[in-house]
Each structure stands twice: as structure tokens, then as C-alpha cells.
Amino acid sequence: MTSEVKKFDTLLVANRGEIACRVMRTARAMGLRTVAVYSDADANARHVREADEAVRLGPAAARESYLKVEAVIEAARRTGAGAIHPGYGFLSENGPFVEALEKAGITFVGPPASAIAAMGDKSAAKERMSHAGVPLVPGYHGDDQDDALLKSEADKIGYPVLLKASAGGGGKGMRVVESAAGFQAALDGCRRESQAAFGDQRMLIEKYLTQPRHVEVQVFCDSHGNGVYLFERDCSVQRRHQKVLEEAPAPGMSAELRREMGEAAVRAAREIGYLGAGTVEFLLDSSQGQDGAFYFMEMNTRLQVEHPVTEMITGQDLVEWQLRVAMGERLPLAQDELTITGHSFEARLYAEDPEQDFLPATGRLDRFALDLVGAGLSSSEKGSNKVRLDSGVESGDVVSMHYDPMLAKLIVHGDDRDQALATLNRALAALDVQGVVTNRAFLQRLATHPAFKGCELDTRFIEKNEASLFAPREVTTEAYAAAALIGLKQLARECESDSPWDRHDGFRLNAPHTIRLALCATGQNLTNAQAPDAEGVVIVEGTRETDADPWHLTIGDTTLTARLQHLEGDAVAVTLDGHRRRLQARLGENGVVVMADPSGETRLFWRRIDAIDHGQHEAESTLTAPMHGTVVALLVEPGQKVEKGMPLMVMEAMKMEHTMSAPADGHVASFHFAAGDTVGQGDVLLEFAPEE
């Protein structure tokens, strides 16, 4: 391993979104010029706006832009970039790309191609880890792929076992086999999936751990022979093998287990001649108690998405470490100089709908902000050392269908786990995202779940707690009252006039003002909100004598004296019968999002129902596409009479189907698209005529 000095003054970031912005932030702090690359879909993206220079790579599709090795290298030549940081994903673990950079004389901010190749083949990697004395899950990783031999090895290991594609990843070619009787069928299925996904049918067999935790160790190596570990992260809360919440340090780790795992991770890195930042992932058998056995799973030869939690507890900038190592410098600190301070969490904010099987969402971000003041965070928590938002988007940006739907990472720090978790919940409440559906409310449900708070962690956490995580949310009286008060205030503002005859805020001669609102948790229900007994609709009647008087709210059988006071940011104070509560409430188009701890987010839509509103307006006249996609089928004929809820058409987006249903009794006047047509989010799909 050489220790050649490779100074450079310009860095090209071969990525997009959050990680590109994050890398450029450190590069600028180090005095480096930054170069962004972009596709046509990202021409106006935040990472392009923030870079000193930017170069177009090609069309929106990643294979025609971000994955084009020649185009990326040419962009570096044009701008004089002496080094390329790959971020994560795209070309970050592409050995041929690293070799091409070496030939071009451009520094790769990452490990050598040989190290990437060594960890790219899972079977070969496990052989090398065994040689390095890194613990492995009991299993078979051999070249002999005879069916009978594989079955025999599985019998020896003991069921349940896990079949995994040797060249695989992302859950493809992977199945749990519970008994010998189901082995052959599972093997055949895994081989088909592996061949289709990777062009390779080789299989690994491993003991299937029933209560595994995903604990990974951050390692760093330089070209002077130094290697350290920057402690561990627990990434057990996952969906579809993708991490959702991460924390550092891992709960319940003894000092001895932490040292053993860290030293094993450094041995793994040294075995393959590693350089720079890497993550060695282990499975920790939580069924054995606090100090259960741990087993090597794989090594990610790049910077991880969740690296900020390590930065929070160590006080180190890992991107700066990467750049200094790439320049040929020694590691900034030795192992005995690294310490853990406090606890940190990271929550990944995705443009997706957890209630629709995590269907990815696209569209324009009408608002994207972090209202720490409105969330009531203390002065110390408002500092960058306590709450950090790493994002690649801003208000007004468009979330594209072409790339990963992650919008941002919310990272928090506290003196201990309980304090950090409390800060995480307040910070999640402070995230104001409008215009695109996100998983923010789901993240809050995870973070406030009793099992998560109690550190009952394993990789099937979401699966095990699905019933409670996706249970219907009970809307509190406080949430209904807050939404109603904001709706009433908005109506009063819209109807201000010097003349009572021009006002529509419930003015009556010699009588109190009265306004009736319908509230529901789904906007579709409001199409028939005129009926007090409409499903899912709550009628709220607000009455007051003068503008200075409190409202008297009647919600069902309950009548409350209510006042609304705006505080700072999005914070409001709702006082009901003398009981004052602080909430966050954000007004949208005919809707209010109310954030209350511990109940989390409640999204309520409101509609005034005591104004003149004729029957033909009670149902939506149009249905719009929820996201970019393709029309699959038209299920009715124009003019055909349909009943409320009857399927009208089917569209497909990102390999998932979505059925558009009739909002009321009536008929489809016309379809705007035919089967096979591509539609954009918000496009009007059809004209619907409700029954009069």
C-alpha cells in the first residue's frame, strides 16, 4: 500500500440529491472547488445550484447519465477536477469505474478496485473473512452446487436456513426454508430469481437467525497502514431489507462486545487491502441476550447513508476523513483517541405512502422546512450539534420518478438514548413537508412505539409490530377542535368586510355567529359531507357572539369553550374549557395537519357545509393521477351508470397498480386517456358527472 500524496483543489461529486449536497458542504469548508453532474431531470436540482460548476451528463434515466463512466470522466477533465467522490449508490462500488479513473489519473475518493471486487462476490468474501478470523454465520459457501449436496449441507446446519444468491443483493434470490420438505422448491425459486436478476445461479446457505439485529461497524483505513473503527450503528428497523431508522451507539452493547466487533471489522478491512471509509455489517443474535454471538454479513465499500449518526457521537466529519485519506494523509485520530459522546438517531424521510404499501410519490414540494421554533425545541437543541437535516431538496423542487425517493435525513443527538429519542420526535413534528406524500407520520409512529422505546429490536421489527404501526389512528377531540378553530379563523379572514351584508361568516341579525364545518381524515369523504351521518365525517358547529369572544364548539355530543392563539412558527395554543395545550398546526388547501405529542400527526380536511352548496358540487367532477404512471385499463364505458366506490380505471406506477373509483353515484362523462397512455401526477384522468 502506497502513501503517495495526491493533493487536488477541485472535487467532482458523481452523485445527486442529499449525498451530493452533503459532500460538497465539507469540500467547500476545506477550500475545495466543487463540480456537480446532472441529468436532464436534475437540471435545476439543489446539488446543481450549490456547486461551483455543473456538467450535464445526459437524459433522465440513470443508465444514460449518472451511470455513464465515460461521461463522468469527461466532466472531470473539462472542469479540472483532480478527484471524484462517488457518494453512495450509482458508481460508488463499481470496480471498472475505479480502474478507469486510475488510467485517467483522477483520484477516486474510496477504496481500490481490488477491495471492491473482493467484497462484491459474497461467497468469495466469506472465504476471505474466514481466513481473517471474522466470525461467520454457520453455512455453506462452496463452489459445488449439486442439489443433493446443498440439501445435505442444509440438513447439517439445521432448519430454518436462509438461501441467498451468491451474486445477489436487495433481497433478490433470497428465501427462508423452514423445513427439509420445502428445500427443493425454495432452491428452484431462488435460482430462477438469481438468474433473472444477476445472470448467476450460485447459492449460499446460512443458518437463519430468528431474532437478528443488524449492527454495523464504521471502519477507516489510510495508505500508511493505519486502521480504526469508529464504533457501531444499529440499523435493525428495516422494511424490504431497506433501513428506516438508525442509531448509534447500538443499545445494550457491552464494552467487550463493542471491542470484539470493532476489531473484527478492522481485520476484515485489512484482509482486502482497504482504503478510506467502509462499513462492515454484522448480524447480532439478540436471542442470546445482551452479549449474543455476532456474524459477518457483508461489507459496504463506500460511505453509508447513515454515517451522520457516527459523526454525531464521535464529533468527526467522515467526509473530511475521506478526502484527507484520498490526498494521502494519515488518519486524523488513532483508535485510543476516539470516544463516544451521547446518543444519535437518523430517520430517513422518503417521498412514499406507507398506507399504500410504501408506494413512491412524486410531485412538487410546495413547502419543505424544519420549524424548530414551532416544535418548542430548547435553545441547546436548536443548535446544529443537536438537530441536523441533510437534504437534497428545497421548497419548490420537483420529486422525480426516475430516482430513489429519499428526500432527506433527520439526525438528532442527545446526552442519552431517551433524550435523543425525545428530540427526534419533536424534530419530526417540526418537519413541514407539503405537496408530496411522505413517510413522516410513519416515522413518528416508529419512534414512539413502546417496543422501539424499550429497545426490543430485530430486523423484523416492522413486520412484528405491523398491526399496531398501521392501526387506524384515533383522532382526538383536541385535534378536531384545533382543525375546526383554524378552519373557522381562515373562513373569517376570507370573509372580512366592513358591511355585515357582504360577509359570509355566519352573521345573523341579533344572533350569534354560527358556522358549521365537516371534518374528516380523508379528503374524499368530504365530497358528501353535507350529510351529517356521512362515513368518517365529524360535524363541528362553531358559535360566538363577537370576534373578541371565544368560540363554543359542538363536536358530537360535546360542547367546548375554545380559543386559538398563534405562538411562534407553526405552533398554536388551543384552550378547551380552560385546558391549554401547545400543538403544531399547518394550514393547507382545505386541510389542516395537527401535530400533537404523543399522538403524532393527524391530517384533517375541512369543508364549510352551511353555505349554499348545490348537489351537483357534492361529488368530485374530476379524478386526477396520484403520480406519474401508465393507464392499464378502462373499466367502464362513458355514460355507463356507476355506484359510489365502483372501479373506473386502473393505472400502474413503479410496478404497482392503483385503481381509481367513483367518488359518488353517477357516470363517467369522458376519459382523457386510453390504455397504454403515460400520465403525469395531477393529470385529470376523466370527467365524472355525479347523479343529481
Side-chain angles (χ1 to χ4, degrees), residues 601-621:
E601 174 182 301
T602 300
R603 187 178 296 269
L604 289 169
F605 295 84
W606 57 268
R607 182 180 182 183
R608 185 177 180 183
I609 60 171
D610 59 353
I612 298 174
D613 198 1
H614 297 292
Q616 62 264 31
H617 299 299
E618 291 305 319
E620 295 180 7
S621 61

Side-chain angles (χ1 to χ4, degrees), residues 1 16 25 38 43 87 93 133 184 213 262 269 274 282 313 411 423 460 513 572 584 641 646 648 660:
M1 186 175 293
R16 64 177 301 279
R25 183 172 67 245
Y38 64 92
E93 294 178 284
Q184 189 61 48
R213 286 172 61 184
Y274 202 75
F282 295 101
I313 65 167
I411 310 105
T423 301
R460 290 183 292 280
H513 301 172
V572 297
Q584 278 186 282
K641 187 174 180 180
M646 183 173 175
L648 304 178
M660 312 298 294

Side-chain angles (χ1 to χ4, degrees), residues 612-636:
I612 298 174
D613 198 1
H614 297 292
Q616 62 264 31
H617 299 299
E618 291 305 319
E620 295 180 7
S621 61
T622 61
L623 289 171
T624 58
M627 65 183 300
H628 296 286
T630 303
V631 175
V632 175
L634 307 182
L635 304 179
V636 299

Side-chain angles (χ1 to χ4, degrees), residues 216-221 227-233 248-249 258 262-263 265-266 276-278 307 309-311 313-318 321 331-335 338-340:
E216 61 189 33
V217 177
Q218 177 72 62
V219 295
F220 243 101
C221 297
V228 299
Y229 61 90
L230 288 89
F231 313 112
E232 80 287 343
R233 303 181 285 256
R258 173 171 293 121
E263 291 178 352
V266 173
H307 76 273
V309 293
T310 297
E311 294 182 322
I313 65 167
T314 61
Q316 304 302 312
D317 184 330
L318 298 191
W321 278 44
L331 293 178
L333 296 174
Q335 189 65 61
L338 290 164
T339 58
I340 296 175

Side-chain angles (χ1 to χ4, degrees), residues 352-353 355 366-367 431-442 444-445 473-476 479-480 483 519-526 536 584-596 599-606:
E352 64 183 12
D353 188 352
E355 308 300 330
D366 296 329
R367 181 167 165 78
L431 266 178
D432 183 3
V433 186
Q434 297 181 25
V436 176
V437 176
T438 73
N439 67 331
R440 194 269 307 271
F442 178 69
Q444 280 200 295
R445 295 199 294 273
R473 307 295 291 174
E474 181 179 348
V475 182
T476 64
Y480 279 126
L519 293 171
C520 70
T522 56
Q524 289 82 356
N525 287 342
L526 284 177
Q584 278 186 282
R586 304 176 183 121
L587 179 67
E589 185 177 354
N590 291 335
V592 176
V593 178
V594 180
M595 307 292 296
S599 60
E601 174 182 301
T602 300
R603 187 178 296 269
L604 289 169
F605 295 84
W606 57 268

Side-chain angles (χ1 to χ4, degrees), residues 21-188:
C21 294
R22 188 266 170 276
V23 171
M24 289 192 291
R25 183 172 67 245
T26 290
R28 287 193 299 270
M30 294 176 65
L32 300 176
R33 293 178 60 256
T34 58
V35 178
V37 290
Y38 64 92
S39 70
D40 289 344
D42 281 339
N44 297 310
R46 180 178 176 180
H47 76 281
V48 175
R49 299 194 298 266
E50 293 187 354
D52 294 311
E53 295 184 56
V55 179
R56 176 185 178 273
L57 295 178
R63 65 181 178 276
E64 299 178 41
S65 53
Y66 293 106
L67 293 176
K68 288 183 68 175
V69 171
E70 302 83 1
V72 172
I73 293 177
E74 178 57 27
R77 287 198 184 103
R78 286 177 58 187
T79 57
I84 291 180
H85 193 301
Y88 42 70
F90 291 146
L91 297 171
S92 63
E93 294 178 284
N94 187 307
F97 174 58
V98 179
E99 293 173 348
L101 290 182
E102 291 174 356
K103 292 179 181 178
I106 299 171
T107 298
F108 178 68
V109 183
S114 58
I116 294 174
M119 286 299 177
D121 186 310
K122 287 184 172 59
S123 182
K126 288 180 184 294
E127 289 292 333
R128 297 193 67 167
M129 294 303 100
S130 177
H131 179 266
V134 179
L136 300 177
V137 177
Y140 175 74
H141 313 117
D143 294 329
D144 191 337
Q145 295 287 300
D146 178 73
D147 287 15
L149 176 67
L150 293 178
K151 170 67 165 52
S152 173
E153 292 293 334
D155 293 341
K156 290 179 186 177
I157 295 167
Y159 297 92
V161 298
L162 182 65
L163 277 171
K164 296 172 64 176
S166 179
K172 297 181 178 66
M174 182 185 300
R175 296 191 187 185
V176 177
V177 186
E178 299 287 352
S179 66
F183 183 83
Q184 189 61 48
L187 177 62
D188 293 341

